[in-house]
Amino acid sequence: MPMLILVRHGRSTANTAGVLAGWTPGVALDERGAAQAAALPGRLAQLPLAAAVTSPLQRCQETLAPLLAARPELPLHTEDRIGECHYGDWSGRKLAELADEPLMNVVQQHPSAAAFPGGESMRAMHARAVEAVREWNARIEREHGADAVYLMCSHGDLIKALVADALGLHLDLFQRISVEPCSVTAIRYTPTRPFLVRLGDTGDFAGLVPREETPADRGGDAAVGGDAGAP
């Protein structure tokens, strides 16, 4: 079965502003995110990609633009099911403000029970992402062979949910996983089980440098939607 390369979009203007973007239109890559995207073709140069699949959101499309320019023959497909979680009424709000919402504790500690007001549940997000990958695995194998490698550009919570699925983890444990902007995660699927072979690889260790603690850090909370990565 195929090897799936999961790329989180580059750092966005919402990441740096501390805003939960969701499906808010017009959220673009910031300067660092554009540089991360520009470096992606070199990082993936040795991989014989059969196809690229992207979330419909602008920040993912901008992330893949340099790769597609470097590989004009690479087929591109858009897949709504790997788009960001529908955060509903939380979309566009500051994460610092959302930290005081009672629902945030559910999102952190019991995400399988979390449903965003006016949006979707994290359980539904997880189910659609896993379904999409299973269907794309079958399609890529059918069209390109069992040893094919393909790429999906998606979002932090989606990628974490797919990693949890690959590891056989309950959704309630997925907040223990972290993927930085423009990081590469690789999952090799087989007929009996998936193998996680890379997780959140950015090619550098800047994200490990100690930083000034925030209240969320002290509480051990995960960044909903994904953090902004290294400064």
Side-chain angles (χ1 to χ4, degrees):
M1 295 181 72
M3 171 87 77
L4 172 60
I5 306 299
L6 288 162
V7 176
R8 185 183 166 200
H9 62 77
R11 196 174 74 176
S12 72
T13 52
N15 293 144
T16 46
V19 169
L20 187 62
W23 285 69
T24 305
V27 176
L29 299 184
D30 67 6
E31 185 176 351
R32 178 176 175 83
Q36 291 170 331
L40 193 60
R43 293 170 60 199
L44 301 178
Q46 297 183 57
L47 292 180
L49 297 174
V53 184
T54 182
S55 155
L57 296 175
Q58 178 180 337
R59 52 198 182 273
C60 287
Q61 295 175 349
E62 290 182 354
T63 298
L64 287 190
L67 179 65
L68 295 171
R71 301 195 194 194
E73 77 289 351
L74 185 65
L76 177 67
H77 308 275
T78 300
E79 172 58 78
D80 286 353
R81 290 175 296 177
I82 62 167
E84 181 63 281
C85 185
H86 291 276
Y87 295 116
D89 297 344
W90 278 27
S91 299
R93 292 178 62 186
K94 289 277 190 180
L95 288 164
E97 169 190 320
L98 291 170
D100 295 328
E101 294 278 355
L103 178 59
M104 182 60 85
N105 191 51
V106 182
V107 170
Q108 294 292 331
Q109 304 297 333
H110 190 20
S112 65
F116 296 98
E120 71 179 331
S121 67
M122 302 200 88
R123 190 173 61 255
M125 173 205 74
H126 175 257
R128 64 173 163 86
V130 170
E131 178 185 58
V133 165
R134 295 295 190 274
E135 291 183 10
W136 276 102
N137 282 348
R139 175 174 172 176
I140 294 296
E141 181 172 2
R142 185 170 62 249
E143 296 179 0
H144 301 281
D147 295 328
V149 180
Y150 76 109
L151 178 150
M152 279 187 170
C153 187
S154 188
H155 306 266
D157 280 350
L158 268 288
I159 294 173
K160 288 161 56 177
L162 289 169
V163 169
D165 173 73
L167 293 175
L169 296 177
H170 194 283
L171 183 60
D172 285 344
L173 301 178
F174 99 125
Q175 297 289 27
R176 301 183 183 193
I177 299 164
S178 177
V179 290
E180 289 198 14
C182 222
S183 63
V184 173
T185 294
I187 302 172
R188 179 167 60 87
Y189 288 87
T190 78
T192 55
R193 74 194 71 164
F195 291 87
L196 179 65
V197 294
R198 291 287 189 280
L199 175 61
D201 189 342
T202 61
D204 66 63
F205 295 96
L208 302 182
V209 175
R211 61 183 182 178
E212 183 178 348
E213 276 194 343
T214 67
D217 293 327
R218 289 191 290 273
D221 287 348
V224 179
D227 63 26

